[in-house]
Amino acid sequence: MATLKRSISSITHIEIDADLPEKTTEEEEKGKALAWIETILFCALLLVCEIFIVVIYSVWLDYTDIIDAFFEFEDIYYLYRDVAIMIFFGFGYLMTFPRRYGYTSIGMTFLISAFVVQWSIILDVFFHALDDHLELFSERVPIGIYHLLNGCFCAGAVMISFGAILGKVTPLQLVVMAIIEPFFFWLNFFICDLKLHAVDIGGGYYIHIFGAYFGLAICFFLTDNKASAHPDSISCYTSDLFAFAGTLFLWLLWPSFNAAIATTGIERVRAVVNTMISLTGATVVAFVASRLVSGTKFDPVHIQNATLAGGVVMGIAAHLEIHLGTALAMGMLAGILSTLGYAVLTPILSKFFHIHDTCGVNNLHGMPGVLGAILSIFATLVISQVEDDYIPEYEHGKYQPLIQLAALGITLGIAILFGIITGIILLGLSFLRRIHHRDFFNDRETW
């Protein structure tokens, strides 16, 4: 068992001296051989997938027509650009906080997100074709910016799951997760949105809740008892600055994320205003709560993450007329909940439930997402009672709150069940090449 001696400086730069055991010569030789096997499988799997995607794109997909293309560029491109920056830059840099894992955090975000966007376009068309559009299977389907936007949303869910297992998996395991998870992302969307018509403007169900609990279910199987006390499972002054850059990009662009698929001007304006107000509330309260629970000082982990919880909690109902006071109050509540999650719940999950949530996705995406789902239940309940000509119109009228509740249960069920199955598959791959506990959270294993 490693012995840790921890000293904390005034700038929250934690230095840890750890007496970790060196690898034996036999372990070194075996590790090199398995690394080559994992590398070959990684490259082969990605190339096979790329060839498959090329074939599908060539025989099934085409460009959108001229009229729709003009409308999409004018109406949605700037929002797609903001969302793409969030996924590729924001999420990547937010996960650079482990002091020796920056290359992998950014590099794997880049690779996996790019792959998921490709794969998601096919799944998007497939599940929409199943939704009473079977003729799409026999004709070339036009692809436009909306499909790219949906691909980025799907990549966002996968990145959230990645955050739960950051530092403990091989590139091959990540690619396998990136192949499996988008299918169930779209299955959940097919059931809750295309069939049940649940209200969800910013992916609260499909991105945040699904991605968080899918990742946590995987994490249960990949958690090593040595991970939580690992000397590299901490930040340093420089890595925290990079993570703050990711936080600021996500914070500034989150209103675009929640407003991107709104179909009317009033819905888009509500989504932007409610999200921004909620983010400001979460930010103020996160600073207050962090100082109270951290012994008079601010904790960078709390500020980097809990400040964003206001965007997550507005993910489902941002476009509804919930009133500004409600948006602000929900942001404040989400900020407190997220901060307390990092301070109290994350250590409990690691110690008693065998879930080492590296990035704390339960605190940023899971619990605030569920809180947003509860908000949507009460918001649709109130609005369905007092409004006759409300925008947007509900598919199920006064029964819409029950649909919102059902969507929450279905999302949690699909995420946890198939996250467990995926976790078992990834655990099997870890026997092919298991990262030595000395190399957790360290780029030297793959860079």
Side-chain angles (χ1 to χ4, degrees):
M1 178 65 69
T3 57
L4 304 181
K5 299 177 181 179
R6 179 173 299 194
S7 59
I8 306 176
S9 74
S10 60
I11 57 174
T12 70
H13 182 173
I14 301 175
E15 295 291 351
I16 294 183
D17 298 319
D19 184 22
L20 288 176
E22 293 288 345
K23 295 180 183 178
T24 65
T25 303
E26 182 181 353
E27 286 178 329
E28 287 281 0
E29 293 300 322
K30 183 178 179 181
K32 290 179 181 180
L34 292 178
W36 269 109
I37 295 174
E38 188 263 345
T39 298
I40 293 171
L41 290 176
F42 167 84
C43 296
L45 183 59
L46 269 181
L47 289 176
V48 168
C49 289
E50 288 296 290
I51 292 171
F52 170 78
I53 292 172
V54 167
V55 172
I56 297 299
Y57 278 23
S58 299
V59 301
W60 195 18
L61 308 181
D62 206 343
Y63 298 113
T64 191
D65 61 62
I66 295 176
I67 297 176
D68 288 341
F70 177 79
F71 170 78
E72 285 192 9
F73 189 84
E74 293 293 321
D75 185 64
I76 202 72
Y77 175 74
Y78 68 98
L79 294 169
Y80 156 75
R81 178 190 58 210
D82 289 353
V83 172
I85 292 172
M86 290 179 69
I87 302 303
F88 286 90
F89 187 98
F91 277 110
Y93 274 80
L94 183 63
M95 291 191 285
T96 59
F97 69 91
R99 59 180 183 173
R100 292 172 178 158
Y101 209 61
Y103 285 0
T104 304
S105 298
I106 297 175
M108 289 299 102
T109 297
F110 196 5
L111 169 65
I112 300 302
S113 295
F115 173 78
V116 169
V117 170
Q118 298 176 357
W119 177 216
S120 175
I121 291 174
I122 297 174
L123 295 172
D124 185 353
V125 175
F126 174 79
F127 278 103
H128 276 87
L130 288 182
D131 183 38
D132 298 327
H133 296 287
L134 296 179
E135 70 278 359
L136 293 178
F137 286 116
S138 60
E139 60 187 40
R140 296 182 74 87
V141 180
I143 299 299
I145 297 175
Y146 278 104
H147 293 87
L148 299 179
L149 180 64
N150 287 336
C152 286
F153 285 145
C154 183
V158 177
M159 287 302 101
I160 292 169
S161 299
F162 176 32
I165 57 177
L166 184 74
K168 299 166 287 188
V169 291
T170 65
L172 176 62
Q173 288 173 309
L174 285 177
V175 169
V176 172
M177 185 182 78
I179 295 171
I180 297 172
E181 185 172 358
F183 180 87
F184 296 107
F185 169 92
W186 281 105
L187 175 63
N188 185 52
F189 181 87
F190 175 78
I191 296 171
C192 295
D193 188 271
L194 299 182
K195 292 304 181 183
L196 294 183
H197 302 287
V199 172
D200 186 1
I201 193 66
Y205 290 123
Y206 317 124
I207 301 172
H208 301 295
I209 297 175
F210 176 84
Y213 292 106
F214 191 96
L216 289 173
I218 294 175
C219 189
F220 177 81
F221 293 93
L222 300 182
T223 290
D224 189 300
N225 291 330
K226 301 179 180 68
S228 58
H230 198 280
D232 285 331
S233 182
I234 60 166
S235 62
C236 68
Y237 193 71
T238 304
S239 65
D240 266 333
L241 286 177
F242 279 108
F244 269 120
T247 296
L248 288 173
F249 269 87
L250 290 169
W251 197 94
L252 291 169
L253 298 177
W254 214 294
S256 294
F257 192 92
N258 284 350
I261 65 170
T263 55
T264 64
I266 185 59
E267 291 177 84
R268 192 165 284 178
V269 169
R270 284 182 195 146
V272 170
V273 173
N274 285 335
T275 302
M276 188 63 189
I277 293 298
S278 183
L279 283 165
T280 59
T283 299
V284 172
V285 171
F287 274 89
V288 173
S290 179
R291 198 166 190 192
L292 289 175
V293 301
S294 303
T296 75
K297 296 185 179 181
F298 303 111
D299 190 325
V301 174
H302 302 160
I303 309 307
Q304 289 159 0
N305 294 277
T307 54
L308 301 173
V312 176
V313 78
M314 284 291 112
I316 298 175
H319 64 314
L320 302 181
E321 191 176 349
I322 59 174
H323 302 295
L324 294 178
T326 303
L328 180 57
M330 294 302 294
M332 294 170 65
L333 183 58
I336 294 174
L337 183 65
S338 181
T339 304
L340 292 178
Y342 280 101
V344 178
L345 185 58
T346 295
I348 292 175
L349 289 176
S350 179
K351 184 176 181 179
F352 296 107
F353 295 93
H354 201 254
I355 298 176
H356 178 254
D357 182 3
T358 304
C359 292
V361 299
N362 183 52
N363 310 315
L364 173 54
H365 301 278
M367 294 189 298
V370 172
L371 184 62
I374 296 172
L375 170 64
S376 76
I377 293 171
F378 285 98
T380 54
L381 176 64
V382 172
I383 293 169
S384 64
Q385 299 296 323
V386 299
E387 298 284 353
D388 293 326
D389 299 315
Y390 184 78
I391 299 174
E393 294 182 359
Y394 298 142
E395 185 76 18
H396 302 281
K398 65 181 180 180
Y399 297 106
Q400 190 65 42
L402 296 177
I403 297 298
Q404 298 302 114
L405 180 61
L408 175 60
I410 292 169
T411 299
L412 288 172
I414 292 177
I416 294 172
L417 173 61
F418 293 105
I420 288 172
I421 294 173
T422 305
I424 294 172
I425 294 173
L426 298 190
L427 179 63
L429 290 174
S430 71
F431 289 109
L432 174 65
R433 182 197 180 193
R434 183 184 296 274
I435 296 179
H436 192 277
H437 68 266
R438 185 178 182 85
D439 296 323
F440 284 161
F441 313 104
N442 200 305
D443 283 329
R444 67 181 169 219
E445 189 72 4
T446 50
W447 293 83

